[in-house]
Amino acid sequence: MRIIKAKDYKDMSRKAANIISAQVIVKPNCVLGLATGSTPIGTYEQLVEWYQKGDLDFSKVTSVNLDEYKGLTKDNDQSYYYFMNDHLFSKVNINKDNTHLPDGTEPDSDKACADYNKVIESVGGIDLQLLGLGHNGHIGFNEPADEFIPETHCVDLTPSTIEANKRFFASYDDVPKQAYTMGIKTIMLAKSVLVVVSGEDKAAIVRDAFFGSITPKVQASVLQLHPNVTVVADEAALSLVKM
Ligand code: GLP
């Protein structure tokens, strides 16, 4: 695991965008695993800026997103479908047909998950998986549990995740209580993984996930076993770790 210390959020975003850019330049038809949440927003902004300058071409890129809330329509501005269009897909020349997320509008969880597993299989494996880190160590929506779940599954969100995400909704009650998420095996099979983390409120989980025991209680800890992980974290997020 490579840990890159960034000065602040902006620096973290630029460094992460550089790594994604390198992937797209080296392999223009790469498969990017993409993430939502507030942390990668600056990374996407930077990628859009470089695309606008003519430095990046997404025309051959395929993407698969980590997760989606169950029950939100695509035009709901809190759906991850909306987020990805808003922050990236509508702003670069990626072919929309080659962008994929779990279908949050599918009420049948088994079907939604089986369909998404087929999509992941059909794209032929992820070259670079971008990840944020939940306060409880979740990656995608793989919440603390007694096991690692390998493939796409429906998750009951923990109260702490609902609490953390309620800032985007009118109230706690409006936050969906379930989500579809890519599983841990799929993430671990990505050729490379890029984790972005920012802020003092993530310092304890950075320490536990990347320097503590490997346990499904802290799902991100499994990344310690991946052969090619880069964590780009700012000084505040690394403040409890001796580098
Ligand atoms: C969300 C997402 C994750 C994200 C995490 C952290 O609930 N499902 O993919 O990485 O929580 O979010 P943030 O970056 O806003 O702290």
Side-chain angles (χ1 to χ4, degrees), residues 87-140:
H87 290 289
L88 188 67
F89 300 156
S90 66
K91 296 183 171 154
V92 298
N93 65 337
I94 196 164
N95 180 345
K96 281 287 294 288
D97 295 340
N98 297 336
T99 66
H100 308 281
L101 288 95
D103 183 2
T105 66
E106 173 56 66
D108 178 345
S109 301
D110 290 345
K111 181 172 182 330
C113 296
D115 286 352
Y116 203 55
N117 286 334
K118 276 187 216 136
V119 167
I120 293 166
E121 208 188 310
S122 74
V123 302
I126 298 166
D127 290 295
L128 172 63
Q129 176 65 57
L130 175 64
L131 295 174
L133 183 64
H135 288 96
N136 61 8
H138 72 218
I139 45 178

Side-chain angles (χ1 to χ4, degrees), residues 36-40 66-67 80 132-135 138 140-141 161 165 167-168 202:
T36 52
S38 48
T39 313
L66 282 168
D67 47 14
Y80 288 163
L133 183 64
H135 288 96
H138 72 218
F141 267 132
T161 296
N165 289 0
R167 66 192 193 275
F168 302 113
K202 296 275 175 79

Side-chain angles (χ1 to χ4, degrees), residues 184-231:
I184 292 296
K185 184 177 91 179
T186 305
I187 294 170
M188 290 296 279
L189 283 174
K191 292 195 187 89
S192 59
V193 175
L194 170 62
V195 190
V196 284
V197 206
S198 167
E200 213 180 329
D201 56 317
K202 296 275 175 79
I205 196 61
V206 164
R207 178 197 58 205
D208 296 349
F210 304 133
F211 299 86
S213 323
I214 298 166
T215 163
K217 304 274 184 223
V218 182
Q219 295 267 320
S221 65
V222 76
L223 296 172
Q224 295 180 46
L225 299 175
H226 191 287
N228 190 1
V229 176
T230 304
V231 179

